[in-house]
Amino acid sequence: MIEISGFGVVLLFLIGGISFLMITLLVGKILRPSRPTKEKQTTYESGEEPSGTAWGQFNVRFYIIALIFLLFEAELVFLFPWATVFGDEELIQETNGLWGKFSMIETFIFIGILLIGLAYVWAKGMLEWVRPKPKASDYISKIPNSAYKKFE
């Protein structure tokens, strides 16, 4: 029997994963229908016809709010492993509860830093969404206002 080192096992997994991926893509290419049309190859924008160029300007506040959202999502990603590692009963008993106290202090410091950041962003007004002011239309309709009364 041949013994494989740890690096050999990793190499076999890499070769197996890459070959599985290539075979799956090849089978998909062979089996799927290929009927490209002009409509299928156009840009898709949420079911709407694209208008203008793709270089349109966006409000910077959208990106700021998205980054703040990602920041708090990252907080959740870090808190779950923290709870599982620091919730080890054996370590808590071995240290007479010091391990649990340490973990709670660390968690509160982490959340406190995030809350300070949130308070800063809130105080700077970066969470306020600037809404465009509606403009009154100067269009004069040929339909009399009495015609709209039956739809109210």
Side-chain angles (χ1 to χ4, degrees), residues 3 19 22 25 35 44 54 56 72 98 107 122 125 142 149:
E3 183 145 341
S19 60
M22 298 308 270
L25 290 174
R35 297 184 202 102
Y44 179 75
F72 282 95
L98 192 61
T107 305
W122 196 342
K142 296 178 183 172
K149 295 291 182 195

Side-chain angles (χ1 to χ4, degrees), residues 68 71-72 112-124 127:
I68 293 168
L71 176 73
F72 282 95
I113 291 170
L114 288 174
L115 288 177
I116 289 171
L118 178 64
Y120 174 78
V121 171
W122 196 342
K124 289 288 186 180
L127 295 179

Side-chain angles (χ1 to χ4, degrees), residues 9-25:
V9 172
V10 172
L11 181 65
L12 285 176
F13 270 102
L14 282 174
I15 292 171
I18 291 171
S19 60
F20 177 75
L21 178 70
M22 298 308 270
I23 290 170
T24 305
L25 290 174

Side-chain angles (χ1 to χ4, degrees), residues 22-105:
M22 298 308 270
I23 290 170
T24 305
L25 290 174
L26 181 67
V27 168
K29 176 115 175 117
I30 293 170
L31 294 179
R32 74 173 174 250
S34 178
R35 297 184 202 102
T37 63
K38 184 178 179 184
E39 185 174 308
K40 287 181 184 178
Q41 294 178 342
T42 60
T43 307
Y44 179 75
E45 288 186 9
S46 301
E48 298 291 326
E49 288 291 324
S51 59
T53 67
W55 295 99
Q57 296 291 321
F58 289 98
N59 192 342
V60 175
R61 294 182 189 276
F62 171 77
Y63 297 110
I64 292 172
I65 290 173
L67 286 173
I68 293 168
F69 173 76
L70 288 175
L71 176 73
F72 282 95
E73 286 298 308
E75 172 192 358
L76 291 176
V77 167
F78 285 120
L79 284 180
F80 181 73
W82 225 332
T84 56
V85 169
F86 285 130
D88 188 2
E89 279 188 46
E90 187 176 313
L91 278 172
I92 293 172
Q93 289 174 356
E94 286 178 10
T95 59
N96 293 328
L98 192 61
W99 182 253
K101 290 175 188 174
F102 172 74
S103 66
M104 288 302 291
I105 291 170

